[in-house]
């Protein structure tokens, strides 16, 4: 089933070929094929579709673009598709679709299992990263938004024939996890955890987060907050170095978080194909960090390896 755009393109191609034959021209290879495509009108007041190929063709043929457009229009067989084509400006050809034609195309689409949408001519493998929540935290609105947008993109790509891999790149490593581990050891409510795991983990995270930072207007941490942040970073370092106790806590928090999230995904019909969180790359980071240090791109700062930016990055 051809799309409206494809049907108009075929009609224009036939009229163009007839015009070129009349002119004794056969080689227009210097004109980009994209320049000869029928495209939707950018402004609805000019119609529904337009063809702007007369301008680049006229340069090659050394002719008047409007006269060339007129020659093509006289050969267009579009009476069953659009109103008589209109030439605008230096040679733009505009098409206004017939109401009856649109009605018939709508009925045709309704009777088609794919609603008239063609499959991709060259299917590709596409990775869509979503919903990507954080371990030990309830979802907030940004995660839910990402979930729905990502799922919509994945469904559309699958529908047209692409091989889609839904990658749930979860945040399960780093200082926030160290905060939860530190708090778990000191303030976890086991009963609350059993009843609502994500809520209890989120409660712990908020409490510890509040203890490690100051008010927004304060530029520096107090000695107490700095000491607290150092303790949290120590828990994070222990986890990343393979400490048995912290790994056990991390596995518990991660598994329970995932169980809660999977139940939500199932309820919403969200399909996940891969789940490789930040922790998956832990044993791959050291060679990268070493390479950055050896090349002078990274440096140590307050016990961490950073890549400094002296000036803000300029977006172009």
């Amino acid at each position: 089933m051809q799309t409206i755009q494809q049907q108009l393109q075929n009609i224009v191609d036939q009229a163009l070929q007839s015009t070129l034959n009349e002119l004794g021209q056969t080689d227009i290879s210097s004109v980009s094929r994209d320049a000869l495509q029928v495209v939707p009108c950018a402004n609805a007041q000019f119609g529904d579709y337009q063809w702007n190929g007369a301008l680049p063709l006229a340069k090659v043929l050394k002719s008047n673009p409007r006269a060339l457009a007129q020659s093509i229009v006289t050969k267009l067989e579009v009476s069953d598709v659009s109103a008589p084509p209109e030439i605008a400006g230096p040679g733009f050809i505009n098409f206004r679709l017939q109401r009856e034609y649109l009605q018939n195309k709508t009925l045709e689409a309704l009777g088609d299992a794919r609603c008239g949408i063609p499959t991709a001519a060259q299917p590709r493998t596409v990775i869509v990263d979503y919903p990507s929540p954080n371990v030990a935290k309830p979802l907030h609105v940004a995660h839910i938004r990402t979930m729905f947008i990502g799922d919509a993109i994945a469904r559309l790509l699958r529908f047209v024939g692409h091989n889609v891999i839904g990658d749930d790149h979860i945040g399960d490593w780093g200082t926030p996890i160290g905060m939860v581990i530190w708090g778990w050891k000191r303030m976890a409510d086991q009963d609350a955890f059993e009843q609502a795991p994500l809520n209890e983990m989120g409660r712990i995270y908020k409490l510890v987060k509040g203890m490690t930072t100051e008010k927004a207007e304060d530029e520096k941490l107090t000695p107490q907050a700095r000491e607290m942040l150092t303790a949290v970073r120590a828990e994070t370092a222990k986890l990343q170095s393979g400490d048995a106790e912290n790994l056990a806590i991390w596995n518990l928090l991660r598994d329970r978080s995932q169980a809660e999230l999977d139940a939500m995904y199932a309820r919403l019909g969200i399909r996940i194909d891969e789940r490789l969180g930040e922790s998956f790359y832990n044993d791959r980071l050291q060679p990268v960090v070493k390479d950055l240090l050896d090349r002078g791109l990274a440096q140590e700062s307050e016990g961490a390896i950073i890549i400094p930016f002296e000036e803000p990055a300029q977006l172009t």
Side-chain angles (χ1 to χ4, degrees):
M1 179 178 174
Q2 282 190 329
T3 65
I4 297 173
Q5 193 168 346
Q6 289 171 335
Q7 188 170 354
L8 283 173
Q9 185 69 56
N10 290 339
I11 294 171
V12 170
D13 286 346
Q14 292 174 12
L16 173 60
Q17 188 59 55
S18 178
T19 299
L20 292 174
N21 290 341
E22 282 185 358
L23 298 174
Q25 298 286 344
T26 58
D27 185 12
I28 58 170
S29 58
S30 60
V31 180
S32 167
R33 180 60 186 167
D34 289 342
L36 303 179
Q37 297 298 300
V38 173
V39 296
C41 282
N43 191 329
Q45 70 175 337
F46 297 121
D48 299 299
Y49 289 91
Q50 64 185 153
W51 186 77
N52 306 324
L55 282 171
L57 272 175
K59 291 181 181 179
V60 173
L61 302 177
K62 295 180 173 54
S63 63
N64 181 285
R66 191 173 179 91
L68 180 60
Q70 183 61 54
S71 177
I72 294 172
V73 165
T74 61
K75 299 174 179 61
L76 291 172
E77 299 290 340
V78 292
S79 59
D80 60 338
V81 177
S82 81
E86 302 171 356
I87 300 176
F92 305 130
I93 301 176
N94 296 327
F95 301 91
R96 297 181 186 277
L97 300 177
Q98 298 276 24
R99 180 184 295 272
E100 184 179 355
Y101 171 77
L102 284 173
Q103 291 173 340
N104 292 334
K105 290 295 287 186
T106 301
L107 291 173
E108 185 181 356
L110 288 173
D112 179 53
R114 297 186 55 79
C115 299
I117 300 173
T119 56
Q122 297 180 321
R124 303 172 64 183
T125 296
V126 183
I127 299 175
V128 182
D129 177 3
Y130 76 105
S132 304
N134 295 314
V135 163
K137 295 181 188 177
L139 293 179
H140 57 70
V141 67
H143 289 122
I144 296 173
R145 178 187 61 189
T146 301
M147 183 189 305
F148 291 148
I149 293 175
D151 190 57
I153 292 172
R155 287 172 184 260
L156 288 170
L157 290 170
R158 288 190 180 106
F159 186 76
V160 296
H162 295 295
N163 174 37
V164 178
I165 301 173
D167 178 22
D168 190 14
H169 181 67
I170 60 175
D172 64 347
W173 217 236
T175 303
I177 296 298
M179 291 181 178
V180 180
I181 291 176
W182 187 94
W184 179 267
K185 293 178 178 181
R186 294 162 177 82
M187 58 185 69
D189 183 330
Q190 293 295 335
D191 291 336
F193 178 73
E194 292 302 324
Q195 293 178 15
L198 281 177
N199 289 345
E200 174 60 10
M201 288 183 274
R203 182 189 71 84
I204 294 172
Y205 172 75
K206 290 177 183 178
L207 285 174
V208 179
K209 179 74 172 176
M211 296 165 65
T212 59
T213 58
E214 298 297 290
K215 296 179 181 178
E217 62 268 19
D218 291 337
E219 295 182 355
K220 297 182 179 179
L221 297 175
T222 63
Q224 294 85 355
R226 186 172 296 279
E227 182 180 351
M228 180 68 188
L229 187 57
T230 299
V232 164
R233 286 174 174 168
E235 295 290 358
T236 305
K238 288 171 62 178
L239 170 66
Q240 295 175 347
S241 63
D243 178 78
E245 181 185 15
N246 282 14
L247 275 175
I249 296 173
W250 174 76
N251 278 314
L252 173 65
L253 301 179
R254 191 176 189 276
D255 290 348
R256 293 300 292 272
S257 294
Q258 201 59 66
E260 295 285 303
L261 293 170
D262 283 345
M264 186 181 301
Y265 297 164
R267 185 176 182 182
L268 296 173
I270 303 296
R271 171 178 167 182
I272 300 298
D273 301 297
E274 293 285 352
R275 182 174 289 122
L276 302 178
E278 295 168 349
S279 60
F280 175 80
Y281 302 93
N282 184 52
D283 59 356
R284 295 164 170 77
L285 294 179
Q286 193 59 40
V288 175
V289 173
K290 182 178 184 303
D291 179 59
L292 292 173
L293 287 170
D294 291 344
R295 292 162 61 185
L297 298 175
Q299 65 186 46
E300 184 175 346
S301 174
E302 298 182 12
I305 303 300
I306 66 167
I307 299 177
F309 290 93
E310 300 301 330
E311 297 293 335
Q314 298 297 316
L315 300 179
T316 58

